[in-house]
Amino acid sequence: HDNLRSAIEWFKKEDVTRALRLAAAVWRFWQIRGFLQEARQRLTELLEKPGAGDDSVVHARALEAAGGVYYWMADFEVARKFYERTLEIYRALGDRAQQANALYNIGFTYSAPSVDHEQARVLIGEALSTFRELGDRSGEAKCLWGLSWSSWLQKDYDLARTYLLEAEAAFRELRDPF
């Protein structure tokens, strides 16, 4: 972890794009290991630096990582803003798979805090349609699970079960233990 910190600090001075790339790549490490405060601080600082948006794809990945950090810190409104900015970039780039992923993430910001389950279903449903059009079975499975979760939170247990069984079949087909 100290080596990651040192590398990010060095890149921060030399090349903000590389610092963002590294921070975006390790955000799950920070999440799993309980370093969300550090992740938030580092990503926020890097995203505010001049040149942070020079590489659109790296910028979008860092925004998504920041959204994930804020999501896991239960700050769903801020997470949503990061995910929406991610979506804007991928729309500008014409990357439909990443647009669908961003919609999926935005949908969860409406689902988890019990804010607007219908909006969550609409966004995740839109992501599901795109993943199906693209033949992305993994994305499809994630969305089915997300729709199951949102339905369960709404106490629509029959619909939740239907989505969950479909998601389970897809995950098994992919040999994905999720």
Side-chain angles (χ1 to χ4, degrees):
H1 193 188
D2 287 338
N3 288 341
L4 291 171
R5 288 177 176 139
S6 294
I8 290 170
E9 284 302 310
W10 188 83
F11 281 134
K12 183 171 73 174
K13 295 173 194 158
E14 300 296 321
D15 185 345
V16 70
T17 299
R18 286 186 176 178
L20 280 170
R21 182 179 290 125
L22 180 56
V26 300
W27 88 266
R28 285 284 188 187
F29 166 81
W30 284 326
Q31 176 215 2
I32 291 168
R33 298 285 192 245
F35 294 102
L36 288 171
Q37 297 282 0
E38 178 178 351
R40 179 179 66 186
Q41 179 265 324
R42 289 187 183 279
L43 283 162
T44 301
E45 179 184 354
L46 290 170
L47 285 164
E48 291 173 354
K49 286 189 72 65
D54 288 354
D55 183 315
S56 296
V57 173
V58 171
H59 189 222
R61 287 180 182 150
L63 290 167
E64 181 181 7
V69 168
Y70 278 88
Y71 176 89
W72 285 102
M73 294 182 81
D75 193 338
F76 303 111
E77 288 183 36
V78 173
R80 185 177 310 123
K81 288 176 184 171
F82 279 112
Y83 289 145
E84 287 170 345
R85 288 173 57 200
T86 303
L87 178 61
E88 289 171 14
I89 292 170
Y90 286 126
R91 281 189 171 144
L93 294 172
D95 188 329
R96 293 188 66 225
Q98 290 301 328
Q99 289 173 51
N101 189 61
L103 288 167
Y104 169 81
N105 287 330
I106 296 166
F108 261 88
T109 68
Y110 285 99
S111 187
S114 303
V115 172
D116 187 345
H117 294 291
E118 195 52 43
Q119 182 65 10
R121 282 185 180 177
V122 167
L123 291 163
I124 296 171
E126 185 178 340
L128 174 62
S129 294
T130 301
F131 282 130
R132 283 184 169 157
E133 286 173 25
L134 297 173
D136 184 333
R137 190 75 167 134
S138 181
E140 182 181 344
K142 281 187 343 186
C143 289
L144 290 165
W145 178 83
L147 289 168
S148 175
W149 172 244
S150 185
S151 300
W152 184 82
L153 290 170
Q154 284 189 288
K155 299 183 182 348
D156 189 343
Y157 302 120
D158 290 335
L159 185 57
R161 185 175 194 281
T162 299
Y163 283 131
L164 190 58
L165 290 173
E166 195 174 345
E168 178 189 25
F171 283 123
R172 285 186 190 280
E173 173 189 316
L174 295 166
R175 297 179 193 263
D176 183 336
F178 179 80

